[in-house]
Amino acid sequence: LREWARNTYRSQYMQCVVSVLIMANFLVSLFSAQYKTAEYDYQHASFYERLDLAFTLIFCVELLFNMLGHWFHRFWADGWSLFDLLVVSLSLLALAIEEIPGISILRVMRAFRILRLIGRFQKMRRMTNAIVASLVPVANALLIGLLVTFIYAIIGHELYQVRSPINFATFA
């Protein structure tokens, strides 16, 4: 059973179907948000709520295939699988608990389902991992640039505050 679930989950057909479903879910979320900002139509709202329930259930089944096929270490060691688990869990929580204040933020988290596409394609995954890995070095370069700018601002303030107090009296 585990081998069958793994092969089914990893198949090209399944990956394409899930990718199309993720895109369809993203488009439905866009249309739903548009209808909520326009005149609120309860007929359309219930339609979008049913679609969201259907997508959530489909993604739950897909997550179960992933968990069954890659249990235990492979699933928990993969960051994208954990991201899938988080998004699907938040979607289920938002569906289960509707009357709690602040639950709308969990509904907003459903929009992150589109990011699951990154985990589907190896090249996109590699590129995303490279971008994430470069964030710390880029932040360090930004910090160094800001320090140099602040040093020149202090030097300019000290040298020109007497000559042009309007422009160099303060940093603001």
Side-chain angles (χ1 to χ4, degrees):
L1 182 64
R2 180 172 291 166
E3 189 68 31
W4 175 78
R6 183 182 306 122
N7 291 337
T8 302
Y9 180 77
R10 287 184 178 177
S11 71
Q12 188 70 26
Y13 176 75
M14 178 71 141
Q15 295 300 315
C16 288
V17 167
V18 171
S19 296
V20 167
L21 286 171
I22 291 171
M23 287 299 295
N25 178 244
F26 184 70
L27 292 175
V28 166
S29 296
L30 287 176
F31 291 135
S32 173
Q34 178 62 33
Y35 272 110
K36 286 182 182 177
T37 58
E39 294 178 14
Y40 197 70
D41 183 2
Y42 289 100
Q43 180 181 1
H44 285 104
S46 66
F47 171 73
Y48 286 120
E49 287 170 2
R50 284 180 286 180
L51 275 177
D52 187 53
L53 176 64
F55 279 120
T56 301
L57 293 176
I58 289 169
F59 292 138
C60 279
V61 170
E62 183 252 343
L63 182 66
L64 289 174
F65 266 88
N66 185 7
M67 290 175 90
L68 180 63
H70 298 102
W71 195 258
F72 179 79
H73 179 69
R74 285 184 188 172
F75 181 81
W76 293 104
D78 183 27
W80 291 105
S81 293
L82 296 177
F83 180 74
D84 286 352
L85 178 66
L86 176 71
V87 171
V88 171
S89 298
L90 288 176
S91 297
L92 286 172
L93 188 63
L95 287 174
I97 308 170
E98 294 183 6
E99 279 80 34
I100 292 181
I103 199 71
S104 61
I105 197 71
L106 291 179
R107 289 195 177 110
V108 170
M109 293 296 292
R110 295 181 206 170
F112 287 105
R113 284 180 182 160
I114 192 71
L115 295 178
R116 293 176 66 209
L117 281 179
I118 294 171
R120 300 267 169 241
F121 302 106
Q122 191 64 30
K123 289 182 181 180
M124 285 179 68
R125 182 186 283 206
R126 211 175 303 140
M127 187 183 327
T128 304
N129 290 341
I131 290 170
V132 169
S134 71
L135 288 178
V136 171
V138 168
N140 288 337
L142 175 66
L143 183 63
I144 291 170
L146 286 173
L147 288 174
V148 169
T149 302
F150 292 152
I151 290 169
Y152 277 105
I154 292 169
I155 291 170
H157 172 73
E158 291 298 323
L159 292 177
Y160 299 110
Q161 70 180 344
V162 175
R163 291 185 188 155
S164 181
I166 294 172
N167 293 325
F168 293 98
T170 64
F171 289 116

